[in-house]
């Protein structure tokens, strides 16, 4: 999937249908001159419904169609005939979609299962016909209820990527290169910061035909939790990853400090993220010799409060071990 087609944040306008009005019909038939009220009820207005679809990975279908309007309920008629219900409108969304009221920013619901249906705009109820209102003292009511108007609101759809492993690191740490080596994904790779602007997904093939999904998320910078850089636009994707893979380049001035900065950004955004399984991969390790690696291990064992390993995407060094370690973490 190209980066331009990965849409994870859209605003759409939804309008449900009005309920049909009740009928004020009085029964008339040969030889029955005063048959009494027999006006039927109005039909229900159509709902606007969100439906989970596990074949979708992005909200790109809402890029150009942003207005969804359900049908109105039909009016009631004679012989107590109820009007037809308005036509419901279905909006298929990928799993992991969060729906908010754009005006209040309140979370309405989340779609997490295939086939799950949630009504985002309720159709108005149909009005009751005049036969409901007859009584011993009012035998020919000449009034009925109007239908209830439908709802109209603007909602924000946010997609939180569902992946087993999320790649976390500073810009230009080598996350996209690692994803391209471990999976068949073809992310954009270049030697400048924020090459990746949208999450990329790839399927990692493991031993015995097993596999798991890995997500390359745009790089974090200090202050991301406050919205700096790409901030909240990508930190939300990390919430749905089962395991976090922190990527720190071997030529970093202080590997442990860089890891702590990344951890602190996650902590400030959502402290629950620290409950996830995590592992640190020291990338670009092909530039290190064995002696330097041993010296770094002594420092890392003392300062780094996380399991780690040395890898190189370009030299294919430590890649299989990384797959094994991630698979073990996912299945603990």
């Amino acid at each position: 999937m190209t980066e331009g087609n990965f849409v994870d944040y859209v605003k759409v306008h939804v309008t449900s249908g009005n309920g049909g009005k009740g009928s004020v019909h009085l029964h008339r038939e040969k030889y029955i001159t005063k048959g009494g009220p027999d006006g039927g009820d109005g039909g229900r207005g159509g709902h606007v419904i969100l439906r989970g679809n596990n074949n979708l990975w992005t909200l790109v279908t809402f890029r150009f169609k942003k207005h969804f309007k359900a049908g109105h309920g039909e009016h009631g008629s004679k012989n107590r005939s109820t009007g037809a219900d308005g036509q419901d409108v279905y909006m298929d969304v990928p799993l992991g979609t969060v729906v908010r009221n754009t005006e209040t920013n309140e979370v309405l619901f989340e779609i997490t299962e295939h086939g799950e249906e949630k009504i985002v705009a309720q159709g108005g109820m149909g009005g009751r016909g005049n036969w409901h209102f007859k009584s011993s003292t009012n035998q020919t009511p000449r009034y009925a209820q109007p239908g209830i108007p439908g709802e109209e609101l603007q909602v924000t759809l946010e997609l939180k990527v569902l992946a087993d492993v999320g790649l976390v690191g500073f810009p230009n740490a080598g996350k996209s290169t690692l994803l391209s080596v471990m999976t068949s994904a073809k992310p954009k790779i270049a030697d400048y910061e924020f090459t990746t602007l949208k999450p990329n997904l790839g399927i990692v093939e493991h031993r015995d035909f097993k596999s798991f999904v890995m997500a390359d998320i745009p790089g974090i910078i200090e202050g991301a939790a406050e919205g700096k850089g790409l901030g909240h636009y990508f930190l939300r994707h990390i919430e749905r990853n089962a395991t976090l893979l922190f990527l720190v380049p071997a030529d970093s001035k202080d590997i442990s400090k860089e890891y702590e900065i990344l951890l602190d950004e996650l902590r400030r955004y959502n402290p629950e993220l620290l409950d996830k399984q995590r592992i640190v991969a020291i990338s670009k390790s092909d530039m290190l010799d064995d002696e330097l690696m041993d010296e770094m291990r002594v420092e890392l064992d003392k300062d780094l409060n996380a399991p780690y390993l040395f890898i190189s995407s370009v030299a294919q060094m430590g890649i299989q071990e990384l797959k094994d370690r991630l698979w073990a973490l996912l299945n603990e």
Side-chain angles (χ1 to χ4, degrees), residues 22-301:
S23 170
V24 194
H25 190 268
L26 298 174
H27 185 71
R28 292 291 179 265
E29 191 179 335
K30 193 175 182 180
Y31 307 122
I32 306 175
T33 53
K34 295 183 179 178
D38 71 343
D41 303 342
R44 167 185 66 77
H47 301 318
V48 180
I49 302 169
L50 262 68
R51 180 169 57 194
N53 186 334
N54 60 9
N55 294 315
L56 299 176
W57 291 91
T58 169
L59 297 169
V60 70
T61 51
F62 303 103
R63 173 177 273 184
F64 303 111
K65 182 172 171 57
K66 295 183 181 289
H67 292 264
F68 295 85
K69 191 171 185 178
H72 297 312
E74 299 287 338
H75 302 319
S77 58
K78 60 184 180 181
N79 297 329
R80 299 189 186 180
S81 297
T82 302
D85 290 344
Q87 188 171 9
D88 296 332
V89 168
Y90 286 87
M91 300 163 60
D92 281 2
V93 295
L95 308 188
T97 299
V98 178
V99 183
R100 294 178 184 273
N101 183 315
T102 305
E103 196 173 321
T104 63
N105 208 35
E106 173 197 359
V107 175
L108 303 178
F109 53 82
E110 295 182 43
I111 300 285
T112 55
E113 294 179 13
H114 179 67
E116 179 183 3
E117 294 182 4
K118 297 273 190 182
I119 297 173
V120 65
Q122 186 110 20
M125 285 179 58
R128 295 196 295 175
N130 65 343
W131 74 275
H132 287 280
F133 303 106
K134 68 179 181 180
S135 66
S136 57
T137 56
N138 184 12
Q139 295 187 2
T140 54
R142 286 177 166 81
Y143 53 84
Q145 288 179 330
I148 295 175
E151 298 177 337
E152 185 174 356
L153 70 157
Q154 188 167 46
V155 294
T156 301
L157 306 181
E158 293 179 1
L159 176 61
K160 293 181 181 179
V161 164
L162 291 168
D164 299 308
V165 178
L167 285 168
V168 181
F170 282 119
N172 217 23
K175 299 185 296 299
S176 297
T177 308
L178 179 62
L179 186 77
S180 69
V181 168
M182 292 183 69
T183 74
S184 299
K186 297 289 183 285
K188 184 180 178 184
I189 299 169
D191 188 23
Y192 55 82
E193 294 186 350
F194 291 114
T195 309
T196 304
L197 294 174
K198 302 282 186 182
N200 291 299
L201 292 175
I203 296 173
V204 180
E205 293 182 359
H206 191 49
R207 305 174 194 271
D208 304 323
F209 304 103
K210 295 168 184 169
S211 64
F212 56 90
V213 178
M214 180 180 277
D216 164 28
I217 292 155
I220 292 177
I221 60 173
E222 277 193 88
E226 283 77 49
K228 192 175 178 184
L230 296 174
H232 299 146
Y233 281 98
F234 60 80
L235 277 170
R236 69 171 181 270
H237 292 298
I238 300 171
E239 293 183 64
R240 290 287 170 80
N241 304 148
T243 298
L244 300 180
L245 172 58
F246 288 80
L247 218 62
V248 183
D251 57 356
S252 171
K253 292 178 182 175
D254 189 332
I255 291 173
S256 301
K257 185 182 178 185
E258 191 163 311
Y259 169 67
E260 286 300 327
I261 291 171
L262 291 169
L263 215 54
D264 187 54
E265 288 302 323
L266 299 190
R267 184 187 296 112
R268 284 192 285 160
Y269 177 72
N270 183 354
E272 291 179 11
L273 293 175
L274 301 193
D275 297 335
K276 295 179 182 292
Q277 301 272 22
R278 53 184 186 265
I279 185 171
V280 179
I282 299 161
S283 63
K284 307 178 184 178
S285 296
D286 52 321
M287 64 177 71
L288 308 174
D289 57 26
D290 292 341
E291 188 179 341
L292 187 54
M293 223 177 279
D294 290 338
E295 288 178 20
M296 289 176 69
R297 281 196 181 96
V298 174
E299 292 294 319
L300 292 169
D301 289 340

Side-chain angles (χ1 to χ4, degrees), residues 302-318:
K302 187 171 62 175
D303 300 333
L304 194 66
N305 299 315
Y308 68 89
L309 74 165
F310 292 92
I311 67 163
S312 169
S313 303
V314 175
Q316 299 276 307
M317 165 188 160

